Every structure is written in structure tokens, then in C-alpha cells.
């Protein structure tokens, strides 16, 4: 069967391998582009959130390439993301496609449903449960390597001597990881890409600002949705630290906080899990402030409910902890140029603040 | 002088007011409701809230503002769930409501930001009431009595709704006020669906219900479908929405499409409302799938124009009349 999946950051590289390993033909949706968005917007409700539109566009593009099944993740809400699958399916149906959307809900909610769906995928191609588990673990490993590589690239970019080099090397790294198929190869790719990135000529004496990135998961992870914000900031000499990565690589490594500690950090401000990543945005911002970051950027789709709730609370965090927060709502109309200007102004503000603090310290 | 509790005439007001009014009054407190929405209230709300909020949330701010110098407490509960459906809760803006109000407004009397989470189990509502009652030093006996009277009032309210009174009319009847009756020669029946706070706030929706009635349409709403029947519709959709009001709207639409044939469906949605974007598309597609029943959606915002809406309604009605060969 020809199977496709959502396009989000670099994760398609791992999903592609998994689908192949399970005996199916992966259809990688084209990297989201203006065309994807136009497509998605055309058939989505006007006020659907940006991720809904990009995903729908992506599915349509994958269907053009022959996809027969979409596998995506569900969500326990209370946000719209949990309902994406149902509505996407209805819309596809209405457009006359018989492509099915398979929504993987959390196994904790309904274990039989979960296993049944996996069975439906691996059954026809004769893959055993044992192989499935092995292949899944391997894909997870790849996902971790992808995340680790990306994280490293953001650490290096602000120091690069030749502007744009990190991005070039990073893209090569992705190709190398994409090529790696066995577990040994994946681990080897990790070594190689780590070296490649570290070998980029860097000016380590450069004084960089540190900015934390919080917000809604899709727009934080997918550069098309956020206009490559991390690269843009990196090339302005800002070290970005993203609060969300897909794999648990981050959770196993130092410098990252457990969900409990994030929620705890948010607790003086909000005591309810209000869906999406709203509470995490608040918690992470508090933690960034405590760790001496210069600023925080909150990324959210226009009309994104949890982030709208978080926004005024973030203003309180700024008041209490002195950390500036820039909120960016993204929609179809957001232009790269306008965003660039806002980021420059924000970075200027952070730089001024930093030098004022340093004067006081001297 | 008795303590005054302010209840904003917005959001959950239309769904649960009779219970709380009765309950607080039995505790010996005075209940003051903010006045019906006016331009002033809307303007204040816009001023006091974050710019990205939806109109209903802005309105809520406006109603809180209206109460702030008139009462000792404002009742802004954090409504998490109202029944046993496990995965169903409210729009995140409801869940974060007390926090939002506290961080964006100043000079407020203390808020009663009780958490209402009824899926936790039987007797949960009583526990909530008990905590509230103790805050005002009521005895256990008084609390029980107030609670029971509250439930009774709510049940009576529900019976009136089942008789196809709108919430506003039902509330008026309960206060002993007259409600105008409508002649029965209305031939077309419309379902006007939407969250109660968009459908019944006649200021923001420029009184859509009465406008339709004047065009000779009988109007039915989601609240008029008895809760049990509404719940039965749930099995027609592959997955429930996460929002209580959203589910009610979708379910009511299914009921009016399948069981009780209406001539048209109008969905009233709030500009910038996240859940509504999904609900609206759902209803549109469900209606389309079944053919026949025409669907129109009306978006309301701060500047909903009277004339514009009227034109659209008239066109919609004309189309239907033509279609059915009525005159
Ligand atoms: S978190 Fe925001 S973007 Fe995601 S589904 Fe909810 S409203 Fe949409
Ligand atoms: S459901 Fe929609 S209208 Fe209601 S509070 Fe949430 S966003 Fe606003």
C-alpha cells in the first residue's frame, strides 16, 4: 500500500524508513510550500488553524502522488488537533477521494484500537509483531539522531564564520541520515554528522544572545510554518533553544526539563491543563528566565486557542521575571519580510538590555 | 446588608444560570446579573481584553466590568466538565477564564473561581456547592436546601426549553415576566444553531431569532432538544469533539437533519472562534451529505451590521420559499 504521513520538521526521514520497513511504499509529501498552503486553505474552514490547513494541503499533494492511506496522530485535546483526522477525512470524502486517514490515538486511551490499527498496517504485508517492534525502535532511534543533529546545528549557527554554512552542512547531514538504514549505520551517521557540524569554522568569542522558543508544536517544529525562524535568528547571531522536540532525545539529555517541572514552573500562573501546549509555553518561559536567557519567542498559529490564553499570562511572566517575550501569530498572510523586521527589533531590544545589565555589573 | 454576588450575563450564563441564582439566593446572598449587552459593554470588553480573543470572551470581560463596582464577589467559575462524558471539556478559554480575567483586568472585587469538574463522579456538584456555601458560612442544612432548590429551578428551566422556549424566554417566564407568543401560521422551520452565548445575545447577533420570526420562520435551537435525545446523536459521529457546547451544536444539527426535519439550518459562529471553525465545517458537510437541507453560516463580530445580516437572511428565506413552491 502507498502510505503517507504528516510533514513536520525532519521527522519524515524516520517515518519514510518505518513505512518501507513494514513492507509498504512510503509517499513522502512534498516539503510544505506556498502551493501546499494554497491547496489546504482552499478546502479548509476559514478559521481552521494553520497546521490544519498545511496538513490538509500536504495530504492532497501526497494523494496526487498516489497515497492510499494517511497515518497521523490523534490527540486527547481539549484542542482542535484531536479532531483534525475526522474533519480531514470528511473533507477528502467530500472532494471525492477514497483515501483513508488512520488516526493513531494514544494507546493509553484505547489499547485495542491502537493495536488493531497497527495490525491493519502490518497484517497485509506479513510483518510480524516482533519485526514491527524492532523496526519501530530503529525508526525511533533515527528520530532521535535527527533531533540531536538539528539541536546541534542551532547551537553552532550563531557562531559560524561564514554565514549560511551551518544550514548547508545541516542539509548534507540530513541526506546522510536518510541514507542510513541499519541500526549500526544510523549510529555511524550520528558520529559523522556530529563531526561535520562541529568542524564548521566558528568564532567562539562572539557574544551571542540566548532566546528560548515556545509555542504550539506544529509551528515550532515545521520551518515552513514559522518562516525558518531558528535559522533566521541563528544567522543574526542568536542562539535559539527550542522547548519542543519530537523524540524523547531531549528528555534523556541534560539541559531539558521534565514535563512535571515545566508544569510546576507554570503553576504560580495557571493551574489547569488548558490544552495544546499553552501551559508548557508558560512553564518553559519561566524556566528560560531562571536560566538567564535573554528572551523568549512564542510561536502560535493565528486563532490558536491555548496560546491565546497563554499570551496575557506570559505578559505577567515578563513583569515578574523581566524576560521579554515576543509573540508571533502565524497565518497564511504572514510574510517573511515583516517577520524579519519584528525579529530584528526584538533582537535589538535584547541586545540593549544585555549591555545595560553589563554596565551595571561593571 | 447582604453580600452581593455578580453573575456576568455571558458565556455559561444561558446554560446554567437558574441553578446558581437559586443556590446563591438560598444561601442568603443577593444575586446581581450584569445588564443585557449594550454597545458600552462591548466597548469596555474590547478595551479590557487581549486583542486576539474571540468576541464572546471580550463580551465576558465587558460584563465583568459592568459588575465590578456593584458587587462584592464576581462568579467566574472554571468550568471543566458538566457531565460524565470523559473526553469532553470546554474551550480552553473557558478553562483559563479566571486566570485571563485576573491577568487582564484590575480593580476587581474577589472572584469566585470555583472549579467545576463534574466528570469526577457523582455528588461532585454538591461538593462544589458545599465548598462555596462554607465560604459564606452557611450551615450544612442550608447548603443542602439551596442545592436542591437550585436543581429544581434548573429542571424547571429545562422543561421550559423542551417546550421550545428560548433560554431568554424561559428565564423571563421563571421571573414571572410575559413572553410574547408567536402565531402558528409559520410555515418554514429553521434550526438556528450555535453556542448559547452567540445565539441568545441579541445585541451581538443583531437579534437574529426575532428577525427570522418576523420573516415568518419558526426557530428551533440546540437548547430545545432534550438532553437525552441530544446524547443519542453522539453515536453518529466517529469521534466526539472535545468541547461540550461544540458537541451540542453538532448533535443538534444531526437531530434536526435526521429525526426532526427542518427546512434550513443557520449556524451562528463567533469570529475568530477556534472550535467553531471545526463545528461549522462538520455541519456543512453533514448537511451536504444528506442533500436537501440548505445550510448557511453567519459569523458575528464586533461590527456585525444589521442591514447586511438582514439581506442575507432574506435571500436565504427567499431561496427556500422558491424551492418549496410556497408563497
Ligand atoms: S493547539 Fe492551536 S494550532 Fe493546535 S489544534 Fe489547538 S488551536 Fe489549533
Ligand atoms: S468556544 Fe469559541 S467563542 Fe467560545 S470562548 Fe472558545 S473561542 Fe470563544
Amino acid at each position: 500500500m502507498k502510505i503517507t504521513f504528516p510533514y513536520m520538521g525532519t521527522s519524515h526521514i524516520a517515518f519514510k524508513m518505518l513505512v518501507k520497513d513494514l513492507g509498504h511504499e512510503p509517499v513522502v509529501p512534498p516539503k510544505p510550500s506556498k502551493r501546499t498552503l494554497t491547496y489546504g486553505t482552499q478546502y479548509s474552514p476559514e478559521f481552521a488553524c494553520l497546521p490544519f490547513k498545511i496538513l490538509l494541503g500536504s495530504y492532497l499533494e501526497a494523494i496526487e502522488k498516489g497515497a492510499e492511506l494517511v497515518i497521523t496522530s490523534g490527540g486527547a485535546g481539549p484542542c482542535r488537533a484531536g479532531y483534525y483526522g475526522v474533519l480531514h477525512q470528511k473533507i477528502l470524502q467530500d472532494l471525492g477521494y477514497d483515501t483513508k486517514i488512520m488516526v493513531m490515538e494514544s494507546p493509553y486511551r484505547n489499547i485495542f484500537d491502537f493495536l488493531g490499527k497497527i495490525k491493519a498496517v502490518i497484517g497485509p504485508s506479513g510483518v510480524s509483531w516482533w519485526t514491527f517492534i524492532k523496526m519501530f525502535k530503529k525508526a525511533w532511534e533515527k528520530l532521535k539522531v535527527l533531533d540531536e543533529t538539528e539541536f546541534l546545528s542551532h547551537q553552532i549557527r550563531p557562531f559560524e564564520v561564514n554565514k549560511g554554512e551551518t544550514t548547508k552542512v545541516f542539509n548534507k547531514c540530513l541526506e546522510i541520515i536518510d541514507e542510513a538504514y541499519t541500526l549500526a549505520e544510523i549510529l555511524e551517521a550520528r558520529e559523522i554528522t556530529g563531526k561535520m557540524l562541529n568542524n564548521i569554522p566558528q568564532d567562539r568569542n562572539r557574544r551571542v544572545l540566548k532566546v528560548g522558543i515556545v509555542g504550539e508544536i506544529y509551528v515550532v517544529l515545521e520551518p515552513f510554518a514559522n518562516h525558518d525562524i531558528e535559522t533566521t535568528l541563528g544567522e543574526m547571531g542568536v542562539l535559539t533553544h527550542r522547548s519542543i522536540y519530537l523524540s524523547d532525545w531531549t528528555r534523556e539529555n541534560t539541559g531539558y526539563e521534565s514535563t512535571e517541572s515545566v508544569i510546576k514552573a507554570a503553576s504560580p500562573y495557571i493551574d489547569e491543563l488548558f490544552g495544546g501546549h499553552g501551559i508548557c509555553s508558560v512553564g518553559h518561559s519561566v524556566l528560560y528566565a531562571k536560566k538567564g536567557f535573554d528572551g523568549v519567542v512564542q510561536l502560535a498559529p493565528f486563532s490558536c486557542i491555548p496560546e491565546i490564553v497563554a499570551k496575557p499570562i506570559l505578559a505577567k511572566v515578563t513583569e515578574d521575571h523581566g524576560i521579554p517575550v515576543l509573540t508571533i501569530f502565524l497565518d497564511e498572510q504572514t510574510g517573511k519580510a515583516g517577520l524579519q523586521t519584528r525579529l530584528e527589533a526584538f533582537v535589538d531590544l535584547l541586545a540593549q538590555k544585555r549591555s545595560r545589565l553589563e554596565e551595571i555589573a561593571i | 446588608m447582604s453580600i452581593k454576588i455578580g453573575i456576568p450575563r455571558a458565556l455559561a450564563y444561558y446554560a446554567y444560570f437558574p441553578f446558581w441564582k437559586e443556590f446563591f439566593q438560598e444561601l442568603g446572598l443577593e444575586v446581581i446579573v450584569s445588564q443585557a449587552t449594550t454597545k458600552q459593554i462591548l466597548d469596555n470588553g474590547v478595551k479590557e481584553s487581549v486583542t486576539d480573543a474571540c468576541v464572546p470572551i471580550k463580551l465576558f470581560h465587558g460584563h465583568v466590568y459592568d459588575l465590578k463596582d456593584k458587587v462584592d464577589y464576581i462568579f467566574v467559575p472554571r468550568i471543566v466538565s458538566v457531565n460524565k462524558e470523559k473526553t469532553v471539556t470546554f474551550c480552553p478559554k473557558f478553562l483559563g477564564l479566571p486566570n485571563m480575567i485576573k491577568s487582564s483586568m484590575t480593580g476587581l472585587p474577589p472572584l469566585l473561581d470555583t472549579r467545576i469538574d463534574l466528570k469526577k463522579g457523582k455528588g461532585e456538584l454538591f461538593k462544589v456547592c458545599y465548598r462555596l456555601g462554607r465560604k459564606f458560612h452557611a450551615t450544612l442544612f442550608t447548603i443542602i436546601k439551596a442545592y436542591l432548590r437550585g436543581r429544581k429551578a434548573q429542571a424547571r428551566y429545562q422543561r421550559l426549553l423542551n417546550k421550545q422556549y428560548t433560554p431568554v424566554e424561559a428565564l423571563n417566564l421563571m421571573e414571572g415576566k410575559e413572553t410574547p407568543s408567536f402565531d402558528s401560521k409559520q410555515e418554514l422551520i429553521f434550526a438556528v444553531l450555535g453556542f448559547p452565548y452567540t445565539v441568545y445575545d441579541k445585541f451581538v447577533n443583531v437579534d437574529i431569532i426575532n428577525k427570522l420570526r418576523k420573516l415568518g420562520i419558526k426557530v428551533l435551537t440546540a437548547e430545545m432538544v432534550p438532553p437525552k435525545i441530544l446524547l443519542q446523536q453522539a453515536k453518529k459521529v466517529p469521534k466526539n469533539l472535545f468541547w461540550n457546547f461544540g458537541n451540542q451544536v453538532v448533535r443538534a444539527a444531526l437531530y434536526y437533519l435526521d429525526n426532526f426535519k427542518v427546512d434550513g439550518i443557520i449556524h451562528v459562529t463567533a469570529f475568530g472562534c477556534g472550535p467553531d471553525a471545526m463545528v461549522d465545517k462538520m455541519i456543512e458537510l453533514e448537511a451536504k451529505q444528506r442533500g436537501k437541507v440548505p445550510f448557511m453560516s453567519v459569523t458575528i463580530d464586533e461590527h456585525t451590521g444589521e442591514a447586511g445580516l438582514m439581506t442575507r437572511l432574506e435571500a436565504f428565506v427567499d431561496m427556500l420559499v422558491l424551492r418549496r413552491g410556497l408563497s
Side-chain angles (χ1 to χ4, degrees):
Chain A
M1 210 179 346
K2 292 183 173 172
I3 299 182
T4 191
F5 32 79
Y7 195 107
M8 180 150 102
T10 58
S11 59
H12 60 279
I13 296 176
F15 293 143
K16 181 172 114 185
M17 180 180 76
L18 181 61
V19 170
K20 214 183 255 178
D21 284 341
L22 298 181
H24 295 282
E25 189 184 326
V27 179
V28 180
K31 188 172 165 43
S33 64
K34 271 253 139 48
R35 179 173 182 269
T36 319
L37 186 54
T38 314
Y39 245 27
T41 310
Q42 192 176 347
Y43 302 111
S44 300
E46 186 184 351
F47 292 111
C49 21
L50 189 64
F52 183 95
K53 295 177 181 172
I54 300 180
L55 286 175
L56 180 63
S58 232
Y59 296 162
L60 288 168
E61 285 181 319
I63 290 173
E64 277 179 358
K65 287 173 71 181
E68 296 157 312
L69 176 71
V70 181
I71 300 185
T72 180
S73 70
C79 207
R80 288 186 269 180
Y83 212 62
Y84 277 12
V86 177
L87 202 54
H88 278 144
Q89 179 79 73
K90 281 242 175 262
I91 293 174
L92 289 186
Q93 220 175 20
D94 186 53
L95 293 175
Y97 295 113
D98 46 14
T99 307
K100 285 272 160 301
I101 298 184
M102 181 184 276
V103 184
M104 302 306 281
E105 302 282 355
S106 155
Y108 298 110
R109 260 178 103 195
N110 186 343
I111 182 78
F112 297 110
D113 176 72
F114 184 74
L115 295 177
K117 280 176 180 162
I118 292 176
K119 183 85 200 151
V121 173
I122 63 176
S125 49
V127 171
S128 69
W129 281 100
W130 170 243
T131 319
F132 169 74
I133 292 170
K134 238 175 46 195
M135 292 306 155
F136 188 80
K137 274 199 181 141
K138 186 166 74 115
W140 194 249
E141 208 49 53
K142 198 170 205 173
L143 204 58
K144 283 203 274 188
V145 173
L146 285 165
D147 278 355
E148 190 174 348
T149 310
E150 191 180 353
F151 179 79
L152 190 60
S153 78
H154 296 316
Q155 295 279 313
I156 287 171
R157 188 173 289 107
F159 298 102
E160 68 187 5
V161 173
N162 310 313
K163 194 166 160 182
E165 188 168 355
T166 313
T167 306
K168 260 190 229 134
V169 175
F170 176 63
N171 287 335
K172 277 207 202 89
C173 292
L174 291 183
E175 282 170 31
I176 293 174
I177 300 172
D178 193 16
E179 293 293 319
Y181 253 88
T182 63
L183 195 57
E185 282 169 4
I186 293 171
L187 294 178
E188 201 190 322
R190 175 174 177 266
E191 290 290 309
I192 299 173
T193 53
K195 280 209 192 91
M196 283 167 65
L197 284 166
N198 279 314
N199 281 342
I200 294 171
Q202 296 166 46
D203 171 8
R204 277 282 156 183
N205 293 324
R206 200 176 280 165
R207 298 175 54 199
V208 302
L209 293 162
K210 282 170 87 177
V211 168
I213 311 264
V214 301
E216 188 277 334
I217 181 165
Y218 188 85
V219 297
V220 167
L221 291 189
E222 175 47 49
F224 170 71
N226 63 38
H227 298 273
D228 258 322
I229 190 169
E230 280 186 282
T231 309
T232 312
L233 281 172
E235 288 176 358
M236 287 177 183
V238 176
L239 194 146
T240 56
H241 188 281
R242 198 161 86 195
S243 59
I244 313 166
Y245 279 88
L246 209 53
S247 73
D248 53 1
W249 170 77
T250 50
R251 268 161 265 163
E252 292 165 6
N253 287 273
T254 48
Y256 269 91
E257 304 287 341
S258 66
T259 316
E260 294 88 74
S261 66
V262 172
I263 291 178
K264 201 168 142 241
S267 64
Y269 297 94
I270 180 119
D271 40 17
E272 193 66 53
L273 288 163
F274 51 71
H277 296 264
I279 194 164
C280 301
S281 296
V282 175
H284 278 297
S285 301
V286 173
L287 292 171
Y288 281 136
K290 288 193 176 149
K291 283 189 207 143
F293 273 63
D294 296 282
V296 168
V297 172
Q298 180 200 16
L299 291 174
F302 175 74
S303 90
C304 172
I305 318 164
E307 300 299 330
I308 290 176
V309 178
K311 189 182 168 190
I313 301 169
L314 285 175
K316 274 255 169 319
V317 174
T318 303
E319 229 172 74
D320 295 353
H321 294 273
I323 191 162
V325 178
L326 173 69
T327 299
I328 300 177
F329 282 110
L330 300 149
D331 68 5
E332 303 89 293
Q333 268 95 45
T334 312
K336 183 150 187 159
L339 190 67
Q340 174 101 17
T341 324
R342 287 186 67 195
L343 287 177
E344 274 163 12
F346 186 62
V347 170
D348 275 351
L349 174 109
L350 298 185
Q352 277 171 22
K353 196 160 165 258
R354 165 84 74 94
S355 47
R356 233 180 301 130
L357 285 179
E358 280 166 354
E359 267 167 36
I360 297 168
I362 296 161
Chain B
M1 229 177 64
S2 60
I3 299 173
K4 296 194 183 84
I5 308 284
I7 297 188
R9 195 187 291 266
L11 298 183
Y13 165 84
Y14 298 97
Y16 312 114
F17 176 68
F19 177 85
W20 293 110
K21 177 184 175 212
E22 204 56 33
F23 174 74
F24 284 126
Q25 281 180 347
E26 278 303 304
L27 293 184
L29 310 170
E30 191 181 335
V31 172
I32 296 192
V33 188
S34 57
Q35 51 172 317
T37 306
T38 58
K39 177 97 182 51
Q40 189 60 47
I41 287 192
L42 178 60
D43 288 347
N44 287 338
V46 172
K47 237 186 291 151
E48 296 289 326
S49 58
V50 279
T51 45
D52 326 276
C54 54
V55 192
I57 290 290
K58 288 182 183 163
L59 273 175
F60 191 84
H61 283 75
H63 283 276
V64 169
Y65 191 88
D66 180 57
L67 288 168
K68 89 182 164 106
D69 299 320
K70 301 181 191 158
V71 296
D72 305 300
Y73 292 90
I74 301 184
F75 189 48
V76 187
R78 185 195 304 285
I79 307 182
V80 181
S81 67
V82 289
N83 53 33
K84 284 192 242 58
E85 289 185 74
K86 277 229 177 50
T87 57
V88 177
T89 173
F90 281 78
C91 165
K93 290 181 193 164
F94 272 71
L95 304 185
L97 195 58
N99 306 74
M100 228 204 264
I101 294 288
K102 272 187 242 169
S103 44
S104 52
M105 293 178 76
T106 49
L108 293 181
L111 301 186
L112 294 176
D113 57 355
T114 329
R115 187 171 195 274
I116 300 180
D117 190 0
L118 305 189
K119 70 167 169 296
K120 282 207 260 177
K122 265 209 151 119
E124 189 58 32
L125 182 59
F126 180 73
K127 279 187 218 151
V128 171
C129 290
Y130 182 76
R131 260 174 262 132
L132 272 172
R134 293 305 297 160
K135 194 176 162 76
F136 296 103
H137 311 292
T139 61
L140 179 62
F141 178 72
T142 320
I143 297 174
I144 295 178
K145 206 170 95 200
Y147 169 78
L148 291 176
R149 297 212 41 163
R151 296 213 66 148
K152 221 167 120 199
Q154 188 71 26
R156 176 154 174 246
Y157 180 58
Q158 188 60 52
R159 280 197 301 277
L160 288 169
L161 296 180
N162 294 352
K163 282 191 203 142
Q164 303 186 344
Y165 287 104
T166 69
V168 177
E169 287 157 2
L171 289 171
N172 279 341
L173 278 175
M174 289 175 78
E175 311 253 297
K177 279 185 227 152
E178 286 283 310
T179 51
S181 61
F182 285 89
D183 48 11
S184 49
K185 67 175 198 320
Q186 299 149 332
E187 306 193 44
L188 288 172
I189 306 176
F190 277 16
V192 176
L193 306 176
F195 302 139
Y197 45 88
T198 55
V199 173
Y200 305 116
D201 188 322
K202 64 180 184 181
F203 180 84
V204 282
N205 67 28
V206 289
D207 207 3
I208 188 166
I209 294 185
N210 284 318
K211 282 212 164 70
L212 284 169
R213 283 175 173 169
K214 276 191 202 120
L215 292 173
I217 311 282
K218 182 176 168 72
V219 174
L220 297 176
T221 65
E223 282 64 31
M224 297 173 188
V225 186
K228 261 213 199 91
I229 297 180
L230 217 45
L231 195 57
Q232 285 164 10
Q233 312 298 319
K235 51 181 183 306
K236 293 189 196 162
V237 284
K239 184 178 177 184
N240 278 326
L241 291 160
F242 294 115
W243 318 285
N244 178 70
F245 287 134
N247 273 326
Q248 287 189 359
V249 171
V250 171
R251 290 170 190 172
L254 291 170
Y255 173 74
Y256 286 128
L257 281 170
D258 294 341
N259 306 53
F260 186 104
K261 290 272 159 48
V262 289
D263 301 295
I265 294 185
I266 295 182
H267 183 213
V268 184
T269 97
F271 180 86
C273 166
D276 253 356
M278 316 290 275
V279 170
D280 192 65
K281 194 79 188 171
M282 266 314 260
I283 305 181
E284 182 197 321
L285 293 177
E286 295 287 353
K288 197 167 159 191
Q289 225 174 41
R290 289 163 171 77
K292 300 220 177 56
V293 183
F295 169 83
M296 174 166 93
S297 85
V298 170
T299 308
I300 57 164
D301 63 12
E302 290 98 312
H303 329 282
T304 313
E306 186 117 30
L309 182 71
M310 200 59 201
T311 322
R312 285 193 63 201
L313 291 181
E314 276 167 359
F316 191 63
V317 174
D318 284 349
M319 188 246 322
L320 274 170
V321 171
L322 269 178
R323 218 191 243 199
R324 304 187 93 218
L326 296 174
S327 55

